[in-house]
Amino acid sequence: MTQLLKVQNFMLSRDGFGAGEGQCMERPFGHADPATMGAWAFATASWPGRTDNAGSRGLDDFLIRDFHHNIGAEIMGRNKFSPHRGPWTDHEWQGWWGYEPPFHTPVFVLTHHPRPSFTLSDTTFHFVDGDPAKVLEQAKEAADGKDVRLGGGATSVRQFLDADLVDTLHVAVLPDYELGAGTRLWESPDELLDRFHRDVVPSPGGGVIHHLYWRK
Amino acid sequence: MTQLLKVQNFMLSRDGFGAGEGQCMERPFGHADPATMGAWAFATASWPGRTDNAGSRGLDDFLIRDFHHNIGAEIMGRNKFSPHRGPWTDHEWQGWWGYEPPFHTPVFVLTHHPRPSFTLSDTTFHFVDGDPAKVLEQAKEAADGKDVRLGGGATSVRQFLDADLVDTLHVAVLPDYELGAGTRLWESPDELLDRFHRDVVPSPGGGVIHHLYWRK
């Protein structure tokens, strides 16, 4: 059974940015507005934060509820985990997600700065240095036969794309939302077509165009 | 947690038939050609019958790999289970699927003719009489908190639709394939719009148009 490396539900502005500039504690996505970027996802029945019994169960919901399907580990960039930069001054910061992080698997945080692993509920965060291939190997071993999610941000996804390690990508592009600056995934969605097949599927719910890539 | 009743990957001719006329041992779908009806599904990486490492991982694959997601039981019509009609003359027939049926859950077969339950691998077949609401209640109990799949054929789906028990339907319509006769799901895909929301999503892979309904 092949273990895939997958990018899922990655939200992107029309001009190719996954997050804006100026990330800080109050603005995890910098000047990008997460409520706008994620509106299509928050409207689905399967969005993990949902506590009522409402929400759509059409196309967008299929994409959202696939999130945990056969995933055994996540790899994320340091800047997805934390607004801090440089060496850890203390170990108080444990991510944005509270005591019940939505991952439920081992998570490998890419950083040059060592830090001990810790566990919150059923998610364990490991802090790893090394090139993408080596980190992927660690994550695959931890995933125990299941696939590995590459959780972003854009800089980390680019790193793994450049090393040709990504097997599938789902990028949700907002056709009416521009950021002008921030962390960039691509100049154009066509860049990847030399190495990937692609389906382009406008959400009938509106507001987002799904780009589904898989390796040739 | 609400338990849903779901119709998944239900394949339909342009003129509304799920299967043709003249079902028999050699032709489970009557004069309908299952290779044509299912071509879009067989091309995906997640099709259960696939043994190689190939296949598409775009939109169609999301729909196919959702099949087992949170499903704890299936309900199917007698004519999906068997080409025989009337009382069971013997109990030799155990379905079309060999020793490893692709359900992996309890399966409730709708029939007026009693027959003892039996198990093949991790699938147990029960034979149940009674109105749709009562059968659904049994299936939900067996599903142990998970959703219930309504597996077809068209006649059974109609029965549960008429009783207003279906929560979501995914119908894959072949726009270029007509059957003229057989078991009918609908006269028009718009019939259900009084009770359901709907996304219509043409597969970028071609050959099929996905209709995704969910209860209003």
Side-chain angles (χ1 to χ4, degrees):
Chain A
M1 197 77 154
T2 314
Q3 287 179 275
L4 306 176
L5 181 63
K6 306 174 72 171
V7 177
Q8 300 173 301
N9 302 322
F10 194 82
M11 302 175 197
L12 206 72
S13 70
R14 174 167 65 181
D15 49 351
F17 298 102
E21 285 182 317
Q23 187 195 46
C24 63
M25 201 80 83
E26 293 72 33
R27 296 194 310 269
F29 292 84
H31 77 286
D33 175 23
T36 302
M37 303 278 282
W40 69 275
F42 308 151
T44 65
S46 302
W47 179 253
R50 181 174 289 281
T51 52
D52 59 15
N53 212 354
S56 66
R57 297 184 185 275
L59 172 67
D60 294 341
D61 197 57
F62 275 85
L63 297 166
I64 289 297
R65 69 184 185 244
D66 193 61
F67 187 72
H68 291 291
H69 181 83
N70 198 44
I71 296 289
E74 165 151 341
I75 297 167
M76 67 170 66
R78 158 75 180 268
N79 296 0
K80 174 170 170 179
F81 175 76
S82 154
H84 311 100
R85 301 292 182 266
W88 306 97
T89 50
D90 61 52
H91 296 159
E92 264 186 44
W93 179 263
Q94 297 196 306
W96 308 89
W97 305 280
Y99 296 113
E100 290 277 355
F103 306 106
H104 314 294
T105 65
V107 172
F108 294 83
V109 180
L110 304 164
T111 171
H112 300 306
H113 306 287
R115 178 173 162 171
S117 302
F118 67 90
T119 299
L120 288 174
S121 181
D122 53 358
T123 298
T124 297
F125 291 90
H126 303 287
F127 298 84
V128 292
D129 201 358
D131 64 35
K134 193 184 134 206
V135 172
L136 178 56
E137 202 178 300
Q138 282 178 279
K140 280 188 172 173
E141 195 179 326
D144 198 20
K146 294 187 176 179
D147 297 331
V148 175
R149 180 190 306 118
L150 178 55
T155 311
S156 305
V157 175
R158 273 290 10 147
Q159 244 185 307
F160 281 78
L161 277 174
D162 294 345
D164 198 21
L165 295 171
V166 177
D167 296 298
T168 70
L169 284 100
H170 164 215
V171 183
V173 179
L174 279 80
D176 301 320
Y177 190 63
E178 292 206 347
L179 284 173
T183 53
R184 182 181 281 288
L185 179 65
W186 59 40
E187 294 287 338
S188 150
D190 296 345
E191 273 170 27
L192 302 177
L193 294 181
D194 56 335
R195 291 184 283 148
F196 290 90
H197 301 280
R198 180 184 61 181
D199 282 351
V200 177
V201 188
S203 166
V208 72
I209 298 173
H210 301 293
H211 290 64
L212 310 171
Y213 298 84
W214 68 101
R215 194 196 278 279
K216 279 184 180 169
Chain B
M1 197 75 154
T2 313
Q3 288 179 274
L4 306 176
L5 180 63
K6 306 175 73 172
V7 177
Q8 300 174 303
N9 302 321
F10 194 82
M11 303 174 195
L12 206 72
S13 70
R14 174 167 64 180
D15 49 352
F17 298 101
E21 285 181 319
Q23 186 195 46
C24 63
M25 200 79 84
E26 294 72 33
R27 296 195 310 270
F29 292 84
H31 78 285
D33 176 23
T36 302
M37 303 276 284
W40 70 274
F42 308 151
T44 63
S46 302
W47 179 254
R50 182 174 289 281
T51 52
D52 58 15
N53 212 353
S56 66
R57 297 184 186 276
L59 172 68
D60 293 341
D61 197 56
F62 275 85
L63 296 167
I64 289 297
R65 71 184 185 244
D66 192 62
F67 187 72
H68 291 290
H69 180 82
N70 197 43
I71 296 288
E74 165 152 340
I75 297 168
M76 67 169 67
R78 157 76 179 267
N79 297 359
K80 174 170 170 178
F81 175 76
S82 154
H84 311 99
R85 301 293 182 266
W88 307 97
T89 52
D90 61 50
H91 296 160
E92 264 186 44
W93 179 264
Q94 296 196 306
W96 308 90
W97 305 280
Y99 296 113
E100 290 278 354
F103 307 106
H104 315 294
T105 65
V107 171
F108 294 83
V109 180
L110 304 165
T111 172
H112 300 307
H113 306 287
R115 179 175 162 170
S117 302
F118 67 90
T119 299
L120 288 172
S121 180
D122 54 358
T123 298
T124 297
F125 291 90
H126 303 288
F127 298 85
V128 291
D129 201 358
D131 64 35
K134 194 185 133 205
V135 172
L136 178 57
E137 201 178 301
Q138 283 178 278
K140 280 187 173 173
E141 194 179 327
D144 198 21
K146 295 186 175 180
D147 296 332
V148 175
R149 181 191 306 119
L150 178 55
T155 310
S156 304
V157 175
R158 272 292 7 148
Q159 244 185 308
F160 282 77
L161 278 173
D162 294 345
D164 199 20
L165 295 171
V166 177
D167 297 299
T168 71
L169 285 100
H170 162 215
V171 182
V173 178
L174 279 81
D176 301 322
Y177 190 63
E178 291 205 350
L179 285 172
T183 52
R184 181 181 282 288
L185 179 65
W186 59 40
E187 294 286 337
S188 150
D190 296 344
E191 271 169 28
L192 303 177
L193 294 182
D194 56 335
R195 289 184 284 148
F196 290 90
H197 300 281
R198 181 183 61 184
D199 282 350
V200 177
V201 188
S203 166
V208 73
I209 298 173
H210 301 294
H211 290 64
L212 310 171
Y213 298 85
W214 68 102
R215 195 195 278 278
K216 277 182 182 170

